[in-house]
Amino acid sequence: MAYATPINIAGAKKLVKEALEAAILELEDPGDVVKVEYPLSVEEYKLNHPRGALLVFSKGGDYKDSKLESAILQDRNMQIGVIAVIKKKQSGMEPEDYIDFAKETLTGLEISVDRGDHKSYPIQDEWIKEEGGEWWYGLTVVIPTLNIEQEILENQ
């Protein structure tokens, strides 16, 4: 069987960021538009957008046992985090609405992968904190992919 080169962490983050950016362009109220970005540091992040931001970052992942005995071929579930940092306003979307927006946008993205579950799905959302009028909510999405021993890819 021939395997496509699996998506890597950078590719998974890019997929999530681009999906969110495209969906934000579809928002009806321009006052609800937020920035989507890769933060240098989540813990030290400072919001510099009038409404808010969706921060995209890797949260790691997990691996299943190899499907082959003679080589390594594993299901890999990459976890991509999205943190909504949103200023509360008198009108428009509520801060927590941005996590539902991200969940709806990122549920069911088609992933080019040779496994049965080839769509992204959420596994967790949470309230993180409120500080100085900025509300922080988090979402974790799984991007299903494979971990394939390099020799398998080179010898197909």
Side-chain angles (χ1 to χ4, degrees):
M1 177 174 201
Y3 294 97
T5 301
I7 189 170
N8 59 18
I9 293 170
K13 286 174 36 181
K14 181 179 179 195
L15 175 77
V16 166
K17 185 175 187 279
E18 289 176 352
L20 290 170
E21 288 172 333
I24 283 171
L25 294 176
E26 302 294 320
L27 290 174
E28 292 178 18
D29 184 346
D32 288 334
V33 171
V34 296
K35 186 176 179 179
V36 182
E37 60 185 308
Y38 303 130
L40 293 176
S41 167
V42 171
E43 292 175 358
E44 297 176 18
Y45 180 78
K46 300 289 185 224
L47 183 62
N48 61 3
H49 186 276
R51 182 64 168 126
L54 298 176
L55 311 179
V56 177
F57 59 98
S58 173
K59 290 185 73 174
D62 61 69
Y63 299 82
K64 306 300 180 203
D65 290 340
S66 182
K67 298 176 181 184
L68 303 175
E69 290 183 21
S70 60
I72 303 300
L73 174 63
Q74 300 168 285
D75 285 350
R76 177 183 184 192
N77 293 324
M78 282 192 281
Q79 295 181 14
I80 302 299
V82 177
I83 293 180
V85 182
I86 308 296
K87 292 180 182 175
K88 178 111 168 116
K89 300 285 185 184
Q90 295 297 325
S91 62
M93 291 172 66
E94 292 291 321
E96 61 272 16
D97 293 340
Y98 285 89
I99 283 302
D100 284 334
F101 168 81
K103 175 190 58 74
E104 291 163 8
T105 299
L106 300 174
T107 297
L109 294 178
E110 288 281 344
I111 312 299
S112 179
V113 64
D114 297 315
R115 41 185 280 195
D117 58 340
H118 54 88
K119 291 185 177 187
S120 62
Y121 58 92
I123 58 169
Q124 179 185 20
D125 61 46
E126 63 183 327
W127 175 82
I128 299 171
K129 67 180 179 178
E130 184 275 326
E131 190 172 280
E134 294 176 0
W135 291 76
W136 291 55
Y137 289 88
L139 172 71
T140 303
V141 177
V142 168
I143 305 296
T145 189
L146 293 171
N147 179 47
I148 303 175
E149 186 175 348
Q150 200 61 37
E151 187 174 313
I152 294 174
L153 291 172
E154 292 170 356
N155 293 327
Q156 11 184 28

